[in-house]
């Protein structure tokens, strides 16, 4: 495979506020000859995740910040295009730490964790393995099952309800017999959350009366808050908690761009409600719960096969568009899981033909 060139985004500067041109640099670099124990993986789909923004900052996080000058960290789906490893034969479709690059050397020393081969044949279109059947779907399942302990009769509020995690969390909560109220940005997205995803109600966070909408949608208070956003929406939810409520602290996306720069976050104002309502709040990370992945994927795949789990993707074509596309997580200009299509598989898997429309 001599003379191959890799294109990669390297982190040049820690972003202040929104990601800006120059924070990441697109570079072209030669790919070294493969050695024994290495495989070359071509990135097909790059998963865009809110945590990408966290990894760029030097806040105290759950993983070290991406060092300046390094290839941006990222999860993706790839295909082995050359191999000197028995566990990753040429043609294998894999999920793992591709990084923000078109070609990745899979090597025990270089990888943060090994690539996982995808099932063959694929039970769902390829993008689902970074969405409903991948880390974001599993996050939604874990939050409902392990930390929310959602049961029949509970009122559950899910913020970022039309997104990758929230859409799955709300639908899994429905299967447990809960009343599920979403929070999403805009009337169209709210309609989608109710009509397509089957939530009982959805609050438009961009409407001036969103507090009244939330009050009206939760007349019996709130038993579980599946929190993806933080900030003033979370504060209003906290003010409506029932005694013994569970707050599943999955994410705080409203704060991620406030890391670095001159923006300052003042913190949750209504946190004292945890005392008044004897409520519990559990932060969790999907990466800590690999022992539950099989169970999560089995239930999510079952719901999918029965037509009881609806999921969407917004697919952006072109590797070079990844930094611009990341902004769509923060302005909400997308539905479901946000993915960048970098390349097509060499032999397209049968199920992948039915993927989402390009954005
Ligand atoms: N704990 C874990 O292991 C884990 C794993 C994966 C993800 N997460 C977290 O889960 C959350 C959702 O992640 P995702 O990948 O599924 O993203 P996503 O929900 O698909 O996309 C983010 C959505 O957040 C909403 N949003 C963005 N900025 C906001 C703001 N300032 N105020 C209110 N809403 C805002 C937007 O939706 P609307 O415009 O429709 O409101 C946007 O579409 C994130 O906080 C992420 O960090 C946690």
């Amino acid at each position: 495979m001599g003379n191959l060139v890799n294109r990669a985004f390297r982190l040049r500067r820690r972003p202040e506020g929104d990601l800006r041109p120059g924070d990441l640099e697109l570079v072209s670099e030669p790919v070294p000859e493969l050695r024994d124990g290495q495989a070359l993986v071509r990135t097909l789909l790059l998963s865009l995740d809110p945590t990408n923004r966290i990894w760029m900052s030097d806040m105290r996080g759950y993983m070290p910040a991406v060092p300046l000058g390094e290839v941006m960290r990222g999860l993706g789906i790839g295909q082995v295009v050359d191999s000197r490893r028995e566990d990753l034969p040429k043609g294998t479709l894999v999920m793992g730490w591709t990084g923000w690059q078109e070609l990745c050397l899979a090597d025990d020393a270089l990888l943060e964790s090994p690539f996982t081969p995808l099932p063959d044949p694929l039970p769902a279109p390829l993008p689902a393995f970074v969405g409903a059947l991948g880390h974001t779907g599993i996050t939604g399942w874990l939050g409902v099952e392990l930390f929310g302990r959602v049961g029949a009769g509970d009122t559950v509020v899910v913020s970022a309800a039309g997104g990758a995690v929230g859409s799955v969390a709300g639908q899994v909560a429905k299967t447990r017999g809960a009343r599920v109220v979403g929070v999403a940005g805009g009337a169209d997205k709210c309609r989608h959350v109710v009509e397509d995803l089957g939530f009982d109600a959805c609050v438009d966070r961009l409407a001036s009366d969103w507090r009244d909408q939330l009050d009206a949608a939760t007349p019996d208070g709130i038993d579980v808050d599946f929190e993806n956003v933080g900030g003033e929406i979370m504060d209003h939810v906290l003010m409506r908690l029932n005694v013994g409520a569970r707050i599943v602290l999955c994410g705080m996306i409203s704060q991620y761009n406030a890391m670095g720069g001159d923006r300052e976050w003042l913190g949750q104002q209504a946190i004292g409600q945890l005392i008044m309502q004897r409520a519990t709040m559990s932060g969790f990370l999907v990466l800590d719960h690999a022992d539950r992945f099989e169970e999560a994927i089995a239930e999510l795949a079952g719901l999918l096969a029965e037509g009881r789990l609806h999921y969407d993707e917004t697919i952006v074509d072109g590797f070079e568009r990844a930094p611009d596309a990341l902004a769509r997580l923060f302005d909400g200009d997308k539905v479901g899981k946000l993915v960048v299509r970098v390349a097509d598989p060499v032999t397209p898997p049968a199920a992948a033909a039915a993927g989402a429309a390009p954005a």
Side-chain angles (χ1 to χ4, degrees):
M1 304 273 297
N3 303 325
L4 272 181
V5 171
N6 181 29
R7 288 198 306 163
F9 280 104
R10 289 190 178 272
L11 185 65
R12 295 298 182 206
R13 192 173 57 198
R14 304 221 175 271
E16 295 190 354
D18 297 329
L19 191 65
R20 285 175 304 154
D23 293 340
L24 291 164
E25 185 190 8
L26 182 59
V27 297
S28 296
E29 300 168 339
V31 178
E33 285 292 325
L34 277 195
R35 287 185 280 103
D36 284 343
Q38 291 184 327
L40 191 65
V41 175
R42 181 180 298 285
T43 307
L44 305 179
L45 297 171
L46 186 60
S47 171
L48 293 190
D49 295 283
T51 197
N52 294 148
R53 176 65 184 79
I54 296 177
W55 293 337
M56 291 178 198
S57 79
D58 55 9
M59 70 168 284
R60 184 168 176 234
Y62 62 96
M63 276 180 146
V66 176
L68 290 178
E70 286 296 312
V71 172
M72 179 57 203
R73 183 186 295 140
L75 286 168
I77 290 173
Q79 187 169 34
V80 179
V81 289
D82 196 6
S83 183
R84 291 176 71 170
R85 289 178 69 110
E86 280 185 9
D87 61 339
L88 291 175
K90 197 170 160 180
T92 311
L93 292 169
V94 293
M95 152 73 198
W97 297 99
T98 54
W100 285 33
Q101 55 186 345
E102 291 180 315
L103 291 165
C104 172
L105 270 184
D107 175 319
D108 286 336
L110 292 175
L111 285 177
E112 292 177 62
S113 76
F115 281 104
T116 308
L118 294 181
D120 182 16
L122 289 175
L126 213 42
F129 295 91
V130 283
L133 297 182
H135 59 292
T136 51
I138 295 171
T139 302
W141 183 93
L142 282 170
V144 169
E145 180 67 20
L146 249 59
F147 302 101
R149 302 184 306 282
V150 174
D154 281 339
T155 296
V156 180
V157 170
V158 181
S159 48
V165 172
S167 60
V168 173
Q171 291 178 87
V172 173
K174 280 298 295 179
T175 68
R176 306 301 193 253
R179 169 177 168 76
V180 183
V181 176
V183 180
D188 284 347
K189 218 186 265 184
C190 280
R191 205 169 306 120
H192 162 72
V193 165
V194 172
E195 290 177 6
D196 302 327
L197 305 181
F199 285 47
D200 295 285
C202 186
V203 173
D204 178 0
R205 70 173 176 96
L206 302 180
S208 56
D209 66 345
W210 65 265
R211 286 181 181 82
D212 297 336
Q213 289 186 31
L214 187 56
D215 295 350
T218 56
D220 299 325
I222 295 168
D223 300 296
V224 177
D225 171 28
F226 195 112
E227 188 55 57
N228 286 318
V229 165
E232 59 180 353
I233 297 172
M234 180 174 175
D235 269 338
H236 196 73
V237 169
L238 293 180
M239 292 306 294
R240 297 192 60 72
L241 293 182
N242 290 331
V243 172
R246 285 84 69 202
I247 297 147
V248 182
L249 195 56
C250 175
M252 302 198 87
I253 193 169
S254 70
Q255 315 307 325
Y256 299 167
N257 274 336
M259 291 161 189
D262 55 6
R263 296 189 213 182
E264 199 180 337
W265 178 43
L266 298 173
Q268 295 302 148
Q269 307 293 300
I271 207 79
Q273 284 300 309
L274 269 74
I275 309 164
M276 310 307 162
Q277 310 310 330
R278 286 78 95 200
T280 53
M281 178 151 71
S282 315
F284 77 103
L285 277 176
V286 61
L287 298 175
D288 293 340
H289 298 280
D291 59 324
R292 303 297 295 266
F293 287 5
E294 206 177 305
E295 188 186 346
I297 293 170
E299 180 173 349
L300 295 170
L303 291 173
L304 208 56
E306 293 163 17
R308 294 170 65 206
L309 180 64
H310 178 102
Y311 73 95
D312 302 274
E313 297 122 9
T314 297
I315 297 187
V316 176
D317 272 311
F319 175 63
E320 60 289 342
R321 293 172 70 192
D324 288 341
L326 191 72
R328 296 170 73 164
L329 289 172
F330 296 91
D331 61 23
D333 176 24
K334 56 111 198 127
V335 176
K337 174 71 199 166
L338 184 60
V339 175
V340 173
R341 183 167 19 225
V342 179
D344 289 322
V346 171
T347 309

